[in-house]
Amino acid sequence: MTKLSIVAATTVALAASSVSSFSVTTNPSTTHITTSRASSSALNLIKGEAVDAETFDENEGGVGLALRSAIKISGKCQKEQCDAQELLRYEKMQEVEMGVAQSIMDKSGCSVLCSGMGKELYQDPGSSIRYEDKVVLLAPIEAAKAALEKVSAAPADAKFVTLNFAGGDDLIIGEVLEACGMLVNELNLEGKPKISFNSISFNQFADETCSVTVVASGGNTGGLEGVDESIARGELYAYDGKWFTVAEGDITTAEK
């Protein structure tokens, strides 16, 4: 760009910063552009925070909602093929005491078949060009492997099996779907129950981690509501020694 072009571009930018509006008027012989100047310069539009200003609370408003929100992707599995079908956002996840969860499962005919925890790992091969020197472990896959090492037999009357994955904000649905396929293929479920999955990302769960909790259920919620209904449907997440679920009443939308 020539020096003349730079000067011209700078002049136009400075002029635009002080113009608040323009209008075009046309007659048969000529066209006029009329501008009106703002009362204050564009340079004064950006101001720093006052020294005595109230401290911004990131737990309030939309920022707080985003920090507390849990994003759930759910879907169905046919043989080894699992497809994501729905995305929901919840205002929060609810922690459940294991004794309470177990009581609800007993009454509704649910049982945890297995659970496992996985952690992501990438080992840089350094200067080596050998493929076997590169190690990549995906958290959902590692969670599925851990769960498959300790599987309980599913109840004979189980009509539904739910694969519940939970991880941090970096949980990737493609990796979850791959782990779902592994579980469906290796669980050897009898009676051909309907299999679904939930994949939930929650800010308060650590990045590069994932848990999976496999729950068999009979599909009977018995008129339960809220957290109790979710557990009776087989939606229960074991994570870092604690138990969580979500409730329909906590679903939030852009309009809510």
Side-chain angles (χ1 to χ4, degrees):
M1 182 182 286
T2 65
K3 184 179 294 184
L4 180 60
S5 299
I6 295 174
V7 172
T10 304
T11 303
V12 171
L14 290 173
S17 68
S18 62
V19 173
S20 60
S21 65
F22 70 89
S23 60
V24 180
T25 58
T26 307
N27 61 42
S29 59
T30 184
T31 300
H32 300 283
I33 299 178
T34 305
T35 63
S36 61
R37 294 183 177 274
S39 59
S40 60
S41 170
L43 296 177
N44 294 325
L45 293 178
I46 303 175
K47 297 181 179 180
E49 188 177 88
V51 175
D52 58 348
E54 185 177 348
T55 303
F56 174 71
D57 186 355
E58 66 177 16
N59 293 314
E60 297 294 331
V63 174
L65 176 61
L67 289 174
R68 295 188 299 273
S69 292
I71 307 299
K72 184 177 80 173
I73 299 175
S74 57
K76 306 292 184 183
C77 297
Q78 298 287 343
K79 297 184 179 180
E80 297 178 29
Q81 180 64 40
C82 298
D83 297 309
Q85 299 177 342
E86 186 178 40
L87 185 149
L88 294 171
R89 184 178 71 184
Y90 294 82
E91 291 183 357
K92 59 185 176 181
M93 290 196 75
Q94 299 201 33
E95 185 176 348
V96 185
E97 292 185 6
M98 186 54 204
V100 173
Q102 189 62 58
S103 176
I104 296 169
M105 286 193 294
D106 290 343
K107 293 177 182 178
S108 56
C110 295
S111 62
V112 175
L113 300 185
C114 58
S115 63
M117 190 79 179
K119 186 172 179 59
E120 186 174 309
L121 172 67
Y122 174 76
Q123 180 176 305
D124 191 338
S127 59
S128 174
I129 60 174
R130 297 194 314 162
Y131 176 80
E132 55 268 29
D133 290 338
K134 181 179 180 180
V135 178
V136 178
L137 302 179
L138 304 178
I141 302 298
E142 295 306 303
K145 290 179 180 177
L148 288 168
E149 292 178 355
K150 43 187 177 180
V151 181
S152 300
D157 58 346
K159 298 178 181 178
F160 303 92
V161 170
T162 309
L163 317 176
N164 299 298
F165 290 84
D169 286 340
D170 63 345
L171 188 61
I172 298 174
I173 187 60
E175 297 175 2
V176 170
L177 291 176
E178 184 177 349
C180 285
M182 176 188 300
L183 288 168
V184 172
N185 184 50
E186 299 188 27
L187 279 173
N188 296 320
L189 299 171
E190 298 182 1
K192 297 183 179 180
K194 295 181 179 179
I195 303 175
S196 61
F197 75 88
N198 298 305
S199 173
I200 201 157
S201 302
F202 188 40
N203 178 271
Q204 295 183 27
F205 291 160
D207 287 345
E208 300 182 353
T209 65
C210 180
S211 71
V212 62
T213 310
V214 182
V215 182
S217 65
N220 178 26
T221 60
L224 298 174
E225 297 180 351
V227 168
D228 295 358
E229 180 187 10
S230 296
I231 295 173
R233 284 191 285 102
E235 187 167 5
L236 190 63
Y237 304 87
Y239 187 92
D240 197 22
K242 299 179 180 180
W243 296 84
F244 300 85
T245 191
V246 289
E248 185 176 353
D250 293 327
I251 295 175
T252 181
T253 64
E255 291 79 23
K256 186 176 177 180

